[in-house]
Amino acid sequence: MRWRILFGLVSFYVVYLLIGAGVFYALEYTHEENRCQEYLENLAQYNLTQARSTGNVSVEDLRNFIQLVLKAPQYGVQFDSTSTPSCAHNWYYQNAIFFAGTVITTIGYGNISPNTRGGQTFCIFFAIVGLPLFAVMFGAIGDKFAAFFKKLDRRMKSKGRNTKLRKTVVLLATTSFMIIFFLLVPSVIFVAVEEWTYHEAFYYSFISLTTIGFGDFVAGSNPDLTYPSIYRICVYFWILFGLAFMAAVISLFSDLIKGSANKASKKPSETKLDEEDVDEAPSNPGAGIDNVSLKVPNGAKPFIKVVDDKVTSDGDSEIKVSNEDAKTHATPTTIS
């Protein structure tokens, strides 16, 4: 895909994402804020401090209180480290952008979801259009990443490296690049911003970029911390390009496996050459050739077509073409 087309596709995707986030914000924000205030008022009816001092807590009150706490996420309520409840504001616009992005990347952390009928209905149609749009863009960006590393493959090819060795080296280089710049380095940033351990940060990075998305760790969701307004947006674009780069790694790995499988499935009598191992033919076909020997396994009969029958055969297993014949006849020799 040309860069101009890719730029237009990415621009359309960003606009689609921003519009979708705006619709989610309009449908969900006010509804959740009202539910949160209602929840906090209900929670205030339970004066646990006084109950603890007097020891007068009925089983029914305790059961109702536990049920109320368990339903807190549904009402957009969060508790900090001191168990103080507050509104999570899950549908602030920047949070709505993050949510919309996780929908069409299929990560779906599950920590927030639409609660209104309008929001749920819109989410369905938003995903129907967004998923194929993301898939096309995802593949195009992945191809651009893969093309960058295929340049390394071509350089190694020019030095006469073995095909399997070249592809293995390119795959290892691509994988190493992804691990360093999309897993190791971002994990350090998450440790600094989220106050996670490095193990937790790396775990979150891996779970996100593989689209598993358990939701046990989600960037920008700690009620004890204050985040920059664009933090979650930056996290989303890290996920976006990380997924595209992972697609490039999967593509290169698939090429390596397919190439090995195709060679393993060939019969011994087949003498077809690997297209990637054949360099471009020189302008003078006979230049620098003293002898050409075409060897085939015993019992296999090659079919060779040469103009004027300028080929001499020395048995069934080896056919020789002289240097003078190669220079005189530029017509390609066909082998099957």
Side-chain angles (χ1 to χ4, degrees):
M1 183 179 291
R2 295 181 179 179
W3 281 105
R4 183 171 60 183
I5 298 176
L6 178 59
F7 178 78
L9 184 62
V10 172
S11 299
F12 180 77
Y13 175 83
V14 171
V15 171
Y16 182 78
L17 187 69
L18 295 177
I19 293 175
V23 175
F24 281 121
Y25 171 81
L27 294 172
E28 296 292 333
Y29 177 75
T30 303
H31 174 77
E32 186 187 67
E33 293 297 309
N34 292 337
R35 284 167 59 89
C36 179
Q37 294 301 324
E38 178 185 350
Y39 178 93
L40 294 178
E41 291 174 3
N42 293 334
L43 190 63
Q45 296 177 5
Y46 296 90
N47 193 336
L48 295 185
T49 302
Q50 181 179 358
R52 282 197 298 266
S53 63
T54 60
N56 296 325
V57 180
S58 66
V59 175
E60 183 179 358
D61 286 343
L62 182 59
R63 183 185 299 112
N64 292 336
F65 178 77
I66 292 174
Q67 290 296 325
L68 194 62
V69 171
L70 292 176
K71 292 180 179 179
Q74 301 176 19
Y75 289 84
V77 176
Q78 61 187 0
F79 293 88
D80 60 17
S81 57
T82 63
S83 300
T84 302
S86 62
C87 293
H89 307 298
N90 290 319
W91 295 104
Y92 275 168
Y93 186 66
Q94 61 269 25
N95 293 336
I97 294 175
F98 186 78
F99 170 78
T102 59
V103 169
I104 52 183
T105 54
T106 71
I107 295 177
Y109 288 115
N111 59 319
I112 61 172
S113 59
N115 288 309
T116 65
R117 182 171 297 181
Q120 293 168 350
T121 303
F122 175 74
C123 187
I124 294 173
F125 290 99
F126 179 75
I128 289 175
V129 177
L131 287 173
L133 174 62
F134 172 75
V136 174
M137 186 189 70
F138 173 77
I141 296 176
D143 289 342
K144 292 298 182 183
F145 281 139
F148 175 80
F149 284 94
K150 284 180 179 178
K151 291 182 180 179
L152 174 62
D153 180 55
R154 288 194 293 269
R155 289 182 180 180
M156 295 182 65
K157 179 179 178 180
S158 65
K159 295 181 180 180
R161 303 295 183 184
N162 177 270
T163 300
K164 189 174 182 179
L165 174 63
R166 292 199 324 263
K167 291 186 177 296
T168 302
V169 170
V170 171
L171 177 62
L172 290 176
T174 309
T175 304
S176 300
F177 186 93
M178 187 196 72
I179 292 175
I180 292 172
F181 292 100
F182 288 97
L183 291 174
L184 298 179
V185 173
S187 296
V188 174
I189 298 174
F190 287 133
V191 168
V193 177
E194 298 287 347
E195 298 182 358
W196 293 334
T197 65
Y198 189 80
H199 174 269
E200 292 171 339
F202 187 86
Y203 166 79
Y204 167 75
S205 300
F206 179 82
I207 292 300
S208 296
L209 295 187
T210 53
T211 70
I212 297 173
F214 287 128
D216 47 351
F217 290 91
V218 180
S221 61
N222 190 338
D224 293 319
L225 301 176
T226 302
Y227 300 97
S229 57
I230 64 170
Y231 172 66
R232 272 196 159 187
I233 298 176
C234 293
V235 170
Y236 174 69
F237 279 98
W238 158 72
I239 292 174
L240 178 65
F241 286 101
L243 289 175
F245 204 91
M246 182 166 287
V249 173
I250 293 173
S251 175
L252 294 173
F253 182 76
S254 178
D255 289 345
L256 178 63
I257 296 299
K258 288 179 180 179
S260 300
N262 290 338
K263 288 184 178 180
S265 64
K266 288 181 180 180
K267 297 179 181 178
S269 60
E270 293 178 345
T271 57
K272 294 181 180 179
L273 298 178
D274 188 347
E275 183 179 348
E276 292 185 354
D277 290 332
V278 180
D279 294 330
E280 294 182 359
S283 57
N284 184 357
I289 299 177
D290 293 330
N291 285 296
V292 177
S293 296
L294 305 177
K295 295 183 178 181
V296 298
N298 292 331
K301 295 183 179 181
F303 173 77
I304 298 182
K305 180 181 179 182
V306 179
V307 176
D308 295 334
D309 295 327
K310 293 293 185 178
V311 177
T312 59
S313 176
D314 183 14
D316 292 336
S317 62
E318 182 174 357
I319 297 174
K320 297 181 180 180
V321 182
S322 67
N323 179 41
E324 189 64 28
D325 292 332
K327 291 181 179 180
T328 305
H329 301 284
T331 303
T333 299
T334 303
I335 304 175
S336 62

